[in-house]
Amino acid sequence: MYQQVPDPLWGSLGWSALVAALPLLTLFVLLGVFRMRAWLASLIGLGLSIMVAVAAYGMPPFTAVNSALEGAAFGLFPALWIVVNAIWIYQMTRVSGHFDVLRRAFARISDDQRVQGIIIAFSFGALLEALAGFGAPVAICSVMLVAVGLKPVKAATVALIANTAPVAYGAVALPVITLAKVTGLPLDDLSAMTGRQVPVLALIVPLVLVVVLDGKRGLRETWREALVCGAVFAIAQYLMANYGAVQLTDIVAALASAAAVLLVVRMRDRPAAEPMADTGGTASVDDAGAGPVGGGAVTTVETAVELPDTRLERLRSFAPYAMIIVLFSVAAVPVVADLLDHTTVAFDWPGLHVVDSEGQPLSLAEYKFDWLASSGTVLFVAGLLSIPMLGVSLRQSARAFGDTVLQLRTAGVTVMAVLALAYVMNMSGQTATLGLLLAGAGGAFAFLSPLLGWFGTAVTGSDTSANSLFGALQVSAASGAGLDPVLMASANTSGGVLGKMVSPQNLAIGASAVGLAGREGELFRKVLAASALFVPLMCILVYLQSTPVLSWMVPS
């Protein structure tokens, strides 16, 4: 039995936190500064986390390694199981030729790639986040953005940045529901408070996306579409979070925002793009100056005109994604969800006996094998049903699956190593040490509170996991500092959504989806500027909500 000690180094929380932060700091420096391949940087970070756990925290070597093994298993299933099936579906659309049909269909909605980027990355991505979460939106939206002509680096960057505002209510509001369970606070209050924080991000994210896509010109020419998209999403998210069914928050907001953008496009009467040939000529965005603060020129490569796609072919190109939405919607029905949950196999990880500093067993030691309820399994079923819809043979679909596994081999190592690192840090007490250090800031904790959620999501790749780790700590710190516990707990979720884009797990998913395995460091540098913009904004908002300036926003 191993019991966590939050301040193992000379009884000092400061020195202990400094050492505890080394694995994560090393990982980010290797990615962002030295541009090391993500799988190698993750393995180095994992090795360092085990060394810190054993040498500084006194964790038995067998227990530390066992923690890493459970994290790696979680990375294999369900994380990689989700990504493999999402990209497999995309690979089949390429084999069948419907990838190009899909590209031309989006071009008919609008010939402006910036508008296409908003609809796909933000609205459709939010819908996927609401239904599936856990990397599926980044994987699917990245390849769809490549389909409409974006270069791979920019496509993955846009998908990662867009995957922020919907995260708090993703996977049918699982992060907020989990927060209510670990804190004991009313779900309605937590949902309402979170719904008065993250909609502010929704207002800004689409505007940032058009800047990423086309710099100042993108903002000047498409600010209407971006502003309408963000505003409608924010209003719908606020209304559903406060007055509707929390599980439907992002679903309603995503559909409303997409419809609003389409309405604006129709009102502006943009001409549809000419059909483009399959010879590779597509509208593209120049990567020069790509990034949250750079601008590239939008260029169109003229190609020979083909006969228009039939309505049936266009329907078939969208069929796999429609099937995904239908299946996830069915799986989210309470009765169906309960039936699927009954098939989940849960067991204590063999040989892993860990309690926290108060002697309570850690829930992380329990491994859940939700083989049927997993989002990855739902995607796998959608893939099987897509085979006849796309007209591919069983041999072609099997080959596409094998190619997908091969493509994800390095990303798989990265995801498993990052989650192994996260589990070692969580089990040994390194994560708790860092959380307690921030929680000791007194009244200033209101400003730092979102950073705790950001950190938790950056490490684990999941806002749900961040809430599990730090939700109760936020409430405890709020009580000690005389702050509202609902506000601080919600700040954990709202700050956590901003950690998704810099999470090594999500970086690996985005890079692999568009064939950029090994270039995760490049993506990290591009999204870091967006994270540096959003995180202080959320910190300031939460701080003001803790003062008389915006305290009226806190549910009474």
Side-chain angles (χ1 to χ4, degrees), residues 1-2 59 61-78 345-355 361-370 416 419-420 423-424 427:
M1 180 68 68
Y2 168 73
M59 192 178 204
F62 176 77
T63 305
V65 172
N66 231 4
S67 301
L69 290 177
E70 187 190 3
F74 187 79
L76 183 63
F77 188 98
V345 179
F347 57 90
D348 291 331
W349 192 261
L352 194 58
H353 306 292
V354 180
V355 295
L362 294 187
S363 59
L364 283 175
E366 182 183 63
Y367 181 77
K368 293 183 179 180
F369 184 61
D370 50 349
M416 293 173 68
L419 282 167
Y423 267 66
V424 172
M427 291 286 190

Side-chain angles (χ1 to χ4, degrees), residues 109-257:
I109 295 174
S110 171
D111 62 343
D112 193 325
Q113 285 185 340
R114 299 161 298 191
V115 175
Q116 295 169 356
I118 294 172
I119 295 175
I120 295 172
F122 189 79
S123 297
F124 185 65
L127 184 59
L128 291 175
E129 179 67 35
L131 297 170
F134 218 98
V138 173
I140 293 174
C141 291
S142 292
V143 295
M144 291 183 72
L145 289 170
V146 172
V148 299
L150 292 188
K151 291 185 177 180
V153 171
K154 187 160 288 186
T157 301
V158 169
L160 284 164
I161 294 174
N163 190 218
T164 49
V167 170
Y169 300 94
V172 203
L174 184 58
V176 178
I177 293 173
T178 300
L179 185 64
K181 290 181 179 178
V182 300
T183 62
L185 296 173
L187 174 60
D188 290 344
D189 289 348
L190 291 172
S191 174
M193 187 67 252
T194 305
R196 301 175 193 192
Q197 293 171 342
V198 291
V200 176
L201 296 175
L203 285 170
I204 302 171
V205 170
L207 295 169
V208 172
L209 293 181
V210 296
V211 174
V212 173
L213 288 165
D214 195 25
K216 293 180 180 178
R217 186 177 69 172
L219 185 61
R220 184 176 63 251
E221 296 179 357
T222 57
W223 66 268
R224 295 176 186 83
E225 290 88 343
L227 187 60
V228 167
C229 179
V232 171
F233 187 96
I235 293 171
Q237 191 178 51
Y238 165 78
L239 292 175
M240 291 300 298
N242 281 270
Y243 307 110
V246 61
Q247 294 87 349
L248 300 178
T249 298
D250 277 350
I251 295 176
V252 172
L255 294 175
S257 65

Side-chain angles (χ1 to χ4, degrees), residues 272-291:
E274 293 293 327
M276 290 179 279
D278 293 333
T279 56
T282 61
S284 65
V285 178
D286 185 5
D287 267 5

Side-chain angles (χ1 to χ4, degrees), residues 111 113 273 276 282-284 297-303:
D111 62 343
Q113 285 185 340
M276 290 179 279
T282 61
S284 65
V298 179
T299 58
T300 303
V301 180
E302 294 186 2
T303 57

Side-chain angles (χ1 to χ4, degrees), residues 297-353:
V298 179
T299 58
T300 303
V301 180
E302 294 186 2
T303 57
V305 176
E306 279 189 345
L307 291 175
D309 299 307
T310 65
R311 178 175 297 180
L312 177 61
E313 288 304 302
R314 289 198 295 271
L315 289 174
R316 291 175 68 184
S317 71
F318 280 100
Y321 302 103
M323 183 59 62
I324 290 171
I325 293 171
V326 170
L327 290 180
F328 274 116
S329 298
V330 171
V333 174
V335 174
V336 179
D338 289 341
L339 290 174
L340 293 176
D341 286 340
H342 284 314
T343 65
T344 298
V345 179
F347 57 90
D348 291 331
W349 192 261
L352 194 58
H353 306 292

Side-chain angles (χ1 to χ4, degrees), residues 43-66:
L43 288 175
I44 292 174
L46 171 59
L48 187 56
S49 70
I50 293 176
M51 290 176 58
V52 170
V54 174
Y57 281 76
M59 192 178 204
F62 176 77
T63 305
V65 172
N66 231 4

Side-chain angles (χ1 to χ4, degrees), residues 12-46:
S12 169
L13 194 62
W15 284 109
S16 301
L18 182 63
V19 174
L22 284 177
L24 195 62
L25 289 175
T26 300
L27 174 59
F28 285 135
V29 168
L30 291 177
L31 282 175
V33 179
F34 294 98
R35 306 185 182 187
M36 184 178 290
R37 289 182 176 272
W39 67 269
L40 181 56
S42 300
L43 288 175
I44 292 174
L46 171 59

